[in-house]
Each structure stands twice: as C-alpha cells, then as structure tokens.
Amino acid sequence: MEFGLTEEQEMLKTSARDFLETECTRNHVRAMMEDEIGYSPELWKKMADLGWLGWSFPSQYGGGDGNFRDLTILCEEMGRALLPSPFISTVVLGSMPILFAGTDKQKQDFLPKVVQGDLTLALAVLEEDGDFWPGGINVRADKRGNEYLLNGTKLFVWDAKAADYLLCAARTKRSPNPEEGITLFLVDAKEWGMYITPLDNIDVLRKQYEVVMTNVPVSVDNIIGELDNGWLVLKKMSLYAIAALCAEMVGGCEKVLEMTVSYAKERIAYGVPIGSFQVIKHKCADMLSGIEYARSLMEWAALALTEDAPEAPTAVSMAKAYCGNVGKMVCDEGTQIHGGLGYTWDHDMHLYFKRVRASDAAFGDGNYHSELVAQYLEQV
C-alpha cells in the first residue's frame, strides 16, 4: 500500500486546513461549547457547499465519488481544528449503514439530503452498560401492522439534539445468539414519544444525550438492512467509524505538538527557553515519534478499508489501540510542558486532552483492541 497522498489529496488537505482556520476559530469553538446543539447550521451548509458531506458517496446520490481515505483526510483536519459538528455522526455513523444496506429508495430519499446539508443523522446503539456489543441492545421493537413501536432508553447518543433522524438499533427477536434479532430503524427524531435529554460528557464539543422512546412508531419502510440482522451492518460501520476517530486523534495530536513546541520556545525559566532543557526535548521527541507511528497505522487502516482488504479489521484494531494510547500520552505531555497554563479553562489544551480520552473510549479502548489483535495473531 502507498501511504503517501496523491496530488488531489494534498489539495484537499490544504484547502480543508485553510477553510477551518478561517471558519472554525477559537471563538467559534468556545461558542459551541456553550451551545446545547453544539454546531453551527451556517458552517454546516458551507461544508456541504464544499462537497465534504458527500465526498466519499457515489455521484448518483450527489456525492463526489471519492473514497474513504479522502474522508479520513477531512477528519484529520477537523480533529486538528476541534471542529464542533455532527460530521462523523451524520456521514459515517448514520449514512454508511444506509449506503451499505439500504434499499435504492432509502438511498435516494436520504443520501442526497445529507450531501446537500439538509439532513443530519445520529446513531443510537449504546444502552445501560455503555458497551458496543449485541448483548447490550435491549430496546424493544414490537410489530403492529405495518409499523413497529419502539420502547426503551438509549444512552451516550452523539449529536442526538442536532439530528433529524436517529439510526436506532432495537431488538425484534430474542435468540441464544445475541447478534440475532437486532434490527436497524431510521426514526424521526421529532416523532411523538421521543424524549432527548443532554448528558454531562468529558468531551464538551461532542454532545451526548439520553434518548427515551415511549411507543415511538416506525414504518417497516424505515428498516435498514434485513430484519433481525442489523448487527452485521453495525459491525461493518464500526470499522469505518473507528478509522475516522483515529484520523481525528492524529490531527488533534499534531496540533498539540505544534502548540507545545511553540510554547517551549517562548516560555523562559532560569533565563533560558524551557525548550533548551534536555528533558523537554526528549518529551517533544517522544510525542513526534508517537504521532508518526500513529499516522502510519491510521493510514493503513483507512487504505485497507478503502481497498476492502481482508486484513482491514486487524488494521483498524491496531490503529485504534495505538492512536488512543499515543493520543493520551501526547496530550498528557503537552499539558505537563505547558505547566499550570495547560490546566486552565481559557487554554485550548484541555479540549484536546478531553477529546482524545473520549475518542479512545468510543467503540472500545486500547486494551480491548489490543486483545482483538492478539486473538488474530493466535489464529495466523
């Protein structure tokens, strides 16, 4: 696999960075921290006009015919800028299951609206135990005529308040195999019986919500994929979501390193810049080497998914384990080098510190994915 960027991808990376430096300023990020929905519809529409929301979608749905590696380039720049938006929720968590398993009518009804910036989506899977696994899905979907009634509670739903529709995993059949009997429904977020409440979250820029459903009606036409076989779609989607989060973490870590090196050159202690101290040099060198290894693994995972390579699940787990651990190390060291300043609310360091920890926990932390890699190595 060739990890270098093509000329077109370099242009995409440069234009995305220039756009976000102009539009996603520190003032904008701080304003979205206090906003209940957590994103700007005006900025979202500008992203749609640039083609970002459908970059990797087929042109028949209004997309740009790009690939998943292109999308991770955008995610990397968004992570660097701490962009507050439902991009991953809408483009990856919500739209990809429709692209993978939706009917032609569902794709035509939903994907062009996503591309145009007129429709946002969110994924509602996690429940009381907070783990992404089939045994944790217990929200009931009971059939009544040509519709289902959904009852139960979903937790830790990213961007639910911003979403027009929720892709909700519900149990339509009980089986000894927990993967069987799970069905995916596209639920109108404004439907009667939906109660969406904000949750406290370590990452103040990616809002999370509790979603309580009480006899929420969903048409059988809004089932994504096969009845009782939704978990297979979620497993496939999760690989792309993890790779996108890895790209975000790499971009954020790159910015943390730049901020830290700049500060170390300016901060004077004992009459000299602290960057002249050997211990600070070593910390920065460790941060740089860690980021480079993380970037290589992230790119491998993204390319493996783009090419539908058989090693893609292993590549994704290796990237998630390493990017999460390195991300925490980089943010820890960056915060320490900044000293007391790095812990203040007014400095941006704590936002990266919190984002990487939330991203590390999503879809399994480093320990979980290291175990998956070990299981794979035992089989080869």
Side-chain angles (χ1 to χ4, degrees), residues 42-91:
E42 293 77 16
L43 180 54
W44 184 253
K45 195 64 177 177
K46 290 180 181 180
M47 292 163 58
D49 293 340
L50 290 172
W52 288 7
L53 305 185
W55 197 276
S56 60
F57 292 173
S59 57
Q60 68 188 99
Y61 307 120
D65 278 330
N67 57 47
F68 183 69
R69 177 66 184 107
D70 298 336
L71 187 142
T72 58
I73 293 171
L74 293 174
C75 290
E76 189 176 341
E77 294 305 314
M78 292 175 188
R80 176 187 175 89
L82 287 174
L83 175 68
S85 83
F87 184 84
I88 288 182
S89 293
T90 297
V91 176

Side-chain angles (χ1 to χ4, degrees), residues 45-275:
K45 195 64 177 177
K46 290 180 181 180
M47 292 163 58
D49 293 340
L50 290 172
W52 288 7
L53 305 185
W55 197 276
S56 60
F57 292 173
S59 57
Q60 68 188 99
Y61 307 120
D65 278 330
N67 57 47
F68 183 69
R69 177 66 184 107
D70 298 336
L71 187 142
T72 58
I73 293 171
L74 293 174
C75 290
E76 189 176 341
E77 294 305 314
M78 292 175 188
R80 176 187 175 89
L82 287 174
L83 175 68
S85 83
F87 184 84
I88 288 182
S89 293
T90 297
V91 176
V92 182
L93 303 183
S95 296
M96 282 193 170
I98 299 175
L99 195 59
F100 296 152
T103 63
D104 290 339
K105 185 177 187 306
Q106 289 169 340
K107 294 175 185 178
Q108 292 290 352
D109 287 347
F110 289 96
L111 295 182
K113 294 178 181 177
V114 169
V115 172
Q116 295 162 12
D118 297 329
L119 186 75
T120 52
L121 302 169
L123 178 69
V125 173
L126 303 184
E127 297 184 20
E128 187 176 8
D129 62 4
D131 289 335
F132 186 82
W133 73 297
I137 297 176
N138 294 298
V139 164
R140 293 195 343 267
D142 302 311
K143 192 171 184 184
R144 188 185 67 179
N146 288 326
E147 63 183 15
Y148 283 82
L149 297 181
L150 271 57
N151 285 277
T153 300
K154 293 293 184 180
L155 295 172
F156 319 114
V157 181
W158 292 355
D159 304 310
K161 201 74 171 179
D164 297 302
Y165 280 83
L166 301 181
L167 184 63
C168 180
R171 191 158 292 281
T172 45
K173 184 179 72 174
R174 288 290 174 184
S175 169
N177 180 359
E179 293 190 8
E180 296 179 1
I182 294 172
T183 303
L184 299 179
F185 297 90
L186 267 176
V187 187
D188 189 336
K190 307 301 188 293
E191 184 61 80
W192 183 91
M194 297 281 288
Y195 305 94
I196 301 175
T197 306
L199 296 173
D200 291 333
N201 179 25
I202 185 174
D203 185 353
V204 293
L205 292 172
R206 180 169 280 146
K207 310 295 184 179
Q208 292 188 6
Y209 301 85
E210 174 191 67
V211 178
V212 177
M213 292 170 282
T214 305
N215 289 326
V216 175
V218 188
S219 169
V220 293
D221 294 333
N222 278 22
I223 292 177
I224 302 298
E226 297 179 3
L227 182 71
D228 298 329
N229 287 313
W231 183 251
L232 295 178
V233 180
L234 289 177
K235 283 178 65 177
K236 183 176 180 180
M237 176 278 300
S238 69
L239 297 177
Y240 291 83
I242 291 168
L245 288 173
C246 288
E248 262 198 359
M249 286 191 280
V250 169
C253 288
E254 183 181 58
K255 182 62 176 179
V256 167
L257 177 60
E258 291 178 8
M259 294 164 55
T260 302
V261 170
S262 177
Y263 180 78
K265 291 178 179 179
E266 298 172 357
R267 175 72 168 91
I268 304 299
Y270 306 106
V272 296
I274 63 172

